[in-house]
Amino acid sequence: AALNKKQKGAVLWFEHLSKAGGTSFCKFARQNVGFHRTPKYYCMPSDGAKIQGTDGRVGRWQEEKIAEYLRRTGHLVLANEWDAFPADALIHKLPNLPTPPDNSPPIEPVLATVVRDPLDRLVSAYKFWGITHGGPKAKDNPPDIVNWLDNRDRIARQRPHHLFPDDFLSQVARNNFASWKFAAKSGGSVPHNCLLEANPNECEARVLDRALDVLERFHILVPMTWQSTAAPLYRRLGWSKLDEIHVVPSGAKQNSAAQSDLQPTHYHSLRLRNIPDLLLFDFVQRAFLERLHCPRLEPSFSSSWSSTSVRNNVEEDTDHITEEERKKKSR
């Protein structure tokens, strides 16, 4: 209701998964709330940090800083692309901050995200970061896609954000990126690299289970391929300009379909390595359909997605992680 009326302290937090339509979502949001009610740079706020790669990293802000920023700027949309979703700060701490001197209402953000098929997202990341922004030679002599993805996954596991805070691109092309994005800051201990754990399959299941717990708290979950049918969900925000927008930040618009861009053996291998994210994407599709067609349902979709069933599915589908591959991937 507060967001509908553009009241003080109202905000839609958009969790932007790189290469999953986040730039387009920002422009779409601006059509409805006005450019001046959003941060200038793709809806990501700036905090004036002087270290390259650390400016506007709202996902690492403390809840007090988020609240002060919103009350000072009046922005209605914030986007977080480079860091993990700050679940503990947004879900538990921000709404329970002490009342400010002006008696402003508590900030209870509306949580939204767009999730893409994980294999298509990885291929898109390769085309954007590996070719379009891969250096002067990449366009004429593009890197091998399999080697590039393997290298980026290895780098991601070796460079967690808390140790390399200025490397904002370190995680964007890792396997099971979405599971990492929603689980990493959900509270408690979430391993950054399951391949180093004694039981990688159980570890992956635990991370996925945590990510699903977080996603159940989101008000708007949209599969990227179904964005054109999501108008009824956005209408509940009071938005009326609902035409779908597609924006390409740089380079030409490209289709990124993993099954057609990869050799069958490479596609199958990549699929096996991203079973948790594939399960997460299935969950997002189901949640989207239930919220679209059954709006009176409670905002929980865990009835048949218990932690036990999810863990069993992941352990059954990730038996391919052999000891040899585990050692190879952790180097």
Side-chain angles (χ1 to χ4, degrees):
L3 193 63
N4 279 344
K5 299 175 182 178
K6 300 182 179 181
Q7 293 176 351
K8 190 174 184 179
V11 64
L12 182 142
W13 179 285
F14 178 69
E15 194 60 27
H16 179 170
L17 277 68
S18 183
K19 309 317 299 171
T23 303
S24 301
F25 183 90
C26 177
K27 187 171 183 179
F28 172 61
R30 284 171 172 165
Q31 283 190 155
N32 288 278
V33 303
F35 188 97
H36 69 289
R37 302 301 298 270
T38 66
K40 292 181 180 180
Y41 185 74
Y42 299 116
C43 295
M44 294 186 283
S46 172
D47 56 0
K50 296 180 180 180
I51 301 174
Q52 184 177 5
T54 60
D55 187 31
R57 303 281 293 278
V58 66
R60 64 176 61 189
W61 292 5
Q62 296 296 316
E63 57 275 5
E64 292 88 355
K65 185 172 182 177
I66 295 172
E68 186 279 329
Y69 176 89
L70 290 172
R71 290 177 173 131
R72 173 168 49 85
T73 64
H75 286 163
L76 292 171
V77 176
L78 296 185
N80 172 49
E81 180 174 8
W82 307 120
D83 293 282
F85 172 67
D88 196 40
L90 286 183
I91 295 173
H92 302 295
K93 295 179 179 179
L94 184 61
N96 295 307
L97 286 175
T99 302
D102 64 356
N103 290 319
S104 297
I107 298 173
E108 297 180 351
V110 173
L111 305 176
T113 192
V114 176
V115 181
R116 188 175 188 175
D117 175 280
L119 308 189
D120 292 349
R121 196 201 67 82
L122 284 170
V123 171
S124 181
Y126 159 75
K127 291 180 178 180
F128 189 76
W129 298 114
I131 299 178
T132 303
H133 293 278
K137 298 181 180 179
K139 292 181 181 179
D140 296 327
N141 186 25
D144 176 77
I145 185 172
V146 176
N147 291 338
W148 189 87
L149 288 173
D150 282 348
N151 287 336
R152 294 306 306 181
D153 183 63
R154 175 178 52 79
I155 291 170
R157 295 175 187 278
Q158 293 175 348
R159 297 178 68 83
H161 273 162
H162 68 282
L163 296 179
F164 300 89
D166 58 335
D167 188 356
F168 65 98
L169 287 177
S170 64
Q171 306 300 312
V172 296
R174 67 175 290 161
N175 289 326
N176 299 306
F177 170 77
S179 297
W180 166 83
K181 189 96 157 79
F182 293 106
K185 292 186 178 180
S186 58
S189 177
V190 178
H192 180 75
N193 185 359
C194 281
L195 293 173
L196 297 179
E197 298 295 307
N199 188 335
N201 297 332
E202 189 278 335
C203 175
E204 285 190 341
R206 189 154 35 98
V207 172
L208 172 61
D209 193 35
R210 190 74 65 83
L212 290 171
D213 284 344
V214 170
L215 279 174
E216 285 178 353
R217 305 295 192 100
F218 271 64
H219 305 86
I220 297 177
L221 292 171
V222 181
M224 181 175 165
T225 47
W226 296 349
Q227 175 77 316
S228 62
T229 66
L233 298 183
Y234 298 124
R235 194 173 288 115
R236 294 172 199 168
L237 303 176
W239 293 5
S240 58
K241 298 176 181 178
L242 303 174
D243 291 337
E244 186 183 15
I245 296 173
H246 186 91
V247 177
V248 180
S250 58
K253 178 181 176 181
Q254 299 185 60
N255 293 320
S256 297
Q259 198 156 10
S260 60
D261 286 346
L262 293 168
Q263 295 294 326
T265 54
H266 294 151
Y267 174 80
H268 181 65
S269 176
L270 192 65
R271 183 177 177 83
L272 289 175
R273 294 178 184 181
N274 285 274
I275 291 293
D277 263 17
L278 288 165
L279 288 170
L280 184 145
F281 186 60
D282 284 346
F283 169 81
V284 169
Q285 290 177 306
R286 172 186 166 180
F288 172 77
L289 291 173
E290 288 192 354
R291 295 186 182 188
L292 190 67
H293 299 291
C294 311
R296 294 185 180 181
L297 287 179
E298 292 294 323
S300 174
F301 304 90
S302 59
S303 57
S304 62
W305 283 85
S306 68
S307 59
T308 301
S309 65
V310 171
R311 180 174 292 112
N312 289 341
N313 282 339
V314 175
E315 290 180 349
E316 179 180 325
D317 290 334
T318 56
D319 288 340
H320 65 284
I321 300 180
T322 64
E323 184 68 18
E324 180 180 355
E325 182 178 15
R326 176 188 164 202
K327 291 179 179 178
K328 176 184 175 183
K329 294 286 289 179
S330 62
R331 291 190 189 114

